[in-house]
Amino acid sequence: MTRGPSAFNRISIGLGLAFLYAPIVLLVVYSFNSSRAVNVWAGFSTRWYETLFANDQLMAALWMTLRVGALSASIATVLGVLAAIALVRGGFFRGRAVFSGMVYAPLVMPEVITGLSLLLLFVAIGLARGFWTVVLAHATFTLSFVTVAVRARLMTFDRSLEEAAQDLGSPPWRAFFEVTLPNIAPAVAGGWALAFILSLDDLVIASFTSGPGSTTLPMRIYSAVRLGVSPEINAISTLLIGSVAMAIVIYGVVRARKTA
Amino acid sequence: MKQIGAVRSSFAPWNDPASVPLVRFEGVTKRFGDMTAVDDVSLSIYEREFFALLGPSGCGKTTLMRMLAGFETPDAGRITLGGEDLAGIPPHKRPVNMMFQSYAIFPHLNVEKNVAFGLRMEGMEKSAVKARVEEMLALVKLEKLGARMPHQLSGGQRQRVALARALAKKPKLLLLDEPLAALDKKLREETQFELTDLQVELGMTFLIVTHDQDEAMVLADRIAVMDHGRIVQTGTPGEVYEAPANRQVAEFLGDMNIFEAVVDSVEPPMARLSGEGMKFFVQDDDCPAAGSKVFLSVRPEKMRISLDPPPAKTPNVIAGEIWDIGYLGDWTTYLVEIAPDRRVRVAQANATRHVERPMSWDDKVFVSFDPDAGVVLTS
């Protein structure tokens, strides 16, 4: 008879979790440090959160990041869903294999190269670097993630549901919105969330494609850290971690309730 | 014309030259790459008819139905519905509804909303939709389950939802793609009778696609037997069962014993045949001339089996030995070996509970059949 995990399993799980989360826990703990020094614990305080909200530069960067993330994720989701439909439903068209391969290329492309090539493109077509170039760049590299998520879902989607909708009198576009979309919605939402988080994360591509006045939060943090780690950075990172964790929990609860 | 099989009242518009078909296939052909799925099919279906397309999987019956629904386009030929050519009319504009084999119930909508879907697309007023949905759910006896989600339903209930949804728009023609295939035997039989009742009650035209001959026979007014994209025979269940057009139809519908024979002499309506070392005396109006090579086909249930030899001068007696017995309760099937590796199938209804001397394996038996029990086929 087995009673839960063995000692060996327990130790493995403990070590694995420690490996993943120790740095994050440290960061969270130090965000509540009353001392400015990063490595000396001087007591609990929320003063860094107060100065953080007073720091216009950081707040502007956060706002910029959220806007870039939301907008680029939305663009990537629309294009990614369309690409997934073309790949799954398009039947056999010339260059299908090439197209499906090309959609996935950004998944394995080094970020530096993606960033550099986008920069070259924007310069070549004379597009001034700023908010929109970052949005476009992020939409470009997150699109393939959306496509992968939605494609998997579409492949298992029963095509006759769409046919039934058409048979009952809805034109193809309406059948898509009334039947297909609600049924692939979890994958679409998941794809959007993934694209949003990837955009939030990104430092390299944003560095290549942003211009003056479009500094994102990772860029701001990175440049701030080069001048020395400030507890404010710990505080904003803690807030980011908290909101991502909350989003994941909400998503899980909603899904669990839907299938219950 | 001689009536054979079960005959439903006097409904037979196909015999009336004045009646106009509701659906007409005229030389319809459909190819997928090198494969010809439907090959030059011409077919008429009349209003209020329950019509079955019967055939093995891959025979083109589903493709034929999907062309009617608008999901496939014929490569050649014409399909008309109520006199109107359907070419170029997309599925959502055809006055035809389909019940899918998978049922295709929308998983994100509850039962009521599933049934209401087609009415909503039509732009029907809300109160009218509500009334119609209630009417349809009552029709399929699901009144109490309107708020259920599809995953909370049993297979039989899902089938009813699919049916109610397809009927809700009161289409001119209802297409049913293997509607009962997913149900267990008992439920399937019950549902078969309900479907026929429903069709008569609603006065609608039903076209069903099935590979199950029992289903086609029970449900349909007429059956078209399909194979390799062609229609091999069209007729009432009685006609296709008792007067099959060829060996293919004969063997596809039920069991059939087939003897290869040559016609010795013909004195209409009687004929003498010989083959496989036996003499046959049969009654068939359409027997070909003496010397023709034919196939005498006899259904197992039209043969008799006995331990004692039948009286002298009884025609068509074959001696043999019981090789195997299949006891089904209501029927017993005997496989009788009449020559080395040559067996015939005889079926007998178990009309009584006790038999003095039941037949057993290796018993010497006599198989016989009446002159009018067999059909002479030429191909």
Side-chain angles (χ1 to χ4, degrees), chain B residues 52-353:
Chain B
L53 286 171
L54 174 65
S57 56
C59 72
K61 56 190 192 302
T62 301
T63 307
L64 201 61
M65 175 179 271
R66 288 174 60 82
M67 283 195 281
L68 198 47
F71 298 123
E72 309 286 353
T73 319
D75 292 319
R78 213 162 83 97
I79 305 172
T80 60
L81 178 72
E84 187 192 3
D85 193 338
L86 288 178
I89 300 178
H92 64 276
K93 290 193 177 147
R94 298 193 179 195
V96 167
N97 284 131
M98 180 159 167
M99 186 179 148
F100 290 75
Q101 182 173 7
S102 63
Y103 304 149
I105 295 172
F106 305 133
H108 62 296
L109 300 177
N110 69 17
V111 170
E112 268 171 17
K113 284 180 181 157
N114 260 284
V115 177
F117 190 90
L119 305 170
R120 199 158 56 82
M121 293 300 125
E122 221 173 51
M124 191 191 256
E125 209 188 315
K126 265 205 173 138
S127 56
V129 170
K130 197 167 176 291
R132 179 74 68 84
V133 168
E134 274 170 18
E135 181 195 340
M136 287 301 137
L137 289 180
L139 196 67
V140 296
K141 306 189 187 83
L142 286 179
E143 301 97 322
K144 297 203 177 83
L145 302 182
R148 289 265 185 103
M149 293 305 282
H151 65 87
Q152 298 169 309
L153 301 176
S154 70
Q157 289 166 339
R158 295 165 72 92
Q159 192 259 359
R160 283 154 190 274
V161 174
L163 184 62
R165 189 180 67 181
L167 286 170
K169 291 182 81 174
K170 309 215 161 145
K172 276 189 189 171
L173 175 67
L174 181 69
L175 309 175
L176 303 119
D177 187 4
E178 305 270 9
L180 309 175
L183 305 181
D184 62 64
K185 188 167 181 275
K186 198 108 189 161
L187 195 56
R188 192 160 62 219
E189 280 174 7
E190 281 172 35
T191 315
Q192 280 174 356
F193 289 111
E194 282 174 13
L195 263 184
T196 42
D197 288 349
L198 207 62
Q199 190 259 345
V200 174
E201 192 182 317
L202 297 172
M204 274 163 56
T205 311
F206 281 22
L207 171 63
I208 184 177
V209 154
T210 179
H211 68 275
D212 181 335
Q213 50 130 342
D214 291 338
E215 199 167 297
M217 305 260 276
V218 172
L219 293 174
D221 293 311
R222 276 194 309 154
I223 297 173
V225 183
M226 282 189 78
D227 196 42
H228 292 102
R230 290 178 166 274
I231 290 184
V232 192
Q233 187 177 8
T234 306
T236 64
E239 283 163 6
V240 289
Y241 185 78
E242 301 293 1
N246 58 29
R247 278 186 298 165
Q248 206 181 1
V249 178
E251 287 185 307
F252 185 70
L253 282 132
D255 293 312
M256 188 64 103
N257 296 302
I258 291 177
F259 303 95
E260 286 185 40
V262 174
V263 182
D264 291 333
S265 64
V266 183
E267 300 155 40
M270 310 307 288
R272 289 182 188 280
L273 321 175
S274 60
E276 301 187 35
M278 291 172 280
K279 297 277 181 200
F280 301 107
F281 182 57
V282 297
Q283 178 180 346
D284 191 315
D285 294 319
D286 305 317
C287 188
S292 315
K293 218 174 153 255
V294 294
F295 303 94
L296 174 62
S297 54
V298 189
R299 296 270 180 207
E301 75 278 8
K302 294 187 174 59
M303 288 183 155
R304 281 183 301 268
I305 185 168
S306 59
L307 286 163
D308 305 318
K313 289 201 173 172
T314 305
N316 309 321
V317 178
I318 311 164
E321 197 170 279
I322 293 186
W323 190 77
D324 206 352
I325 300 176
Y327 177 72
L328 300 171
D330 48 355
W331 285 84
T332 302
T333 304
Y334 301 92
L335 275 178
V336 180
E337 193 156 66
I338 56 168
D341 280 327
R342 176 76 172 99
R343 290 168 205 122
V344 294
R345 188 181 282 267
V346 184
Q348 265 201 331
N350 296 321
T352 56
R353 290 180 59 209

Side-chain angles (χ1 to χ4, degrees), chain A residues 31 33-36 45-52:
Chain A
S31 75
N33 191 356
S34 64
S35 159
R36 170 163 280 282
S45 154
T46 53
R47 62 182 277 216
W48 301 117
Y49 287 88
E50 286 153 32
T51 56
L52 166 68

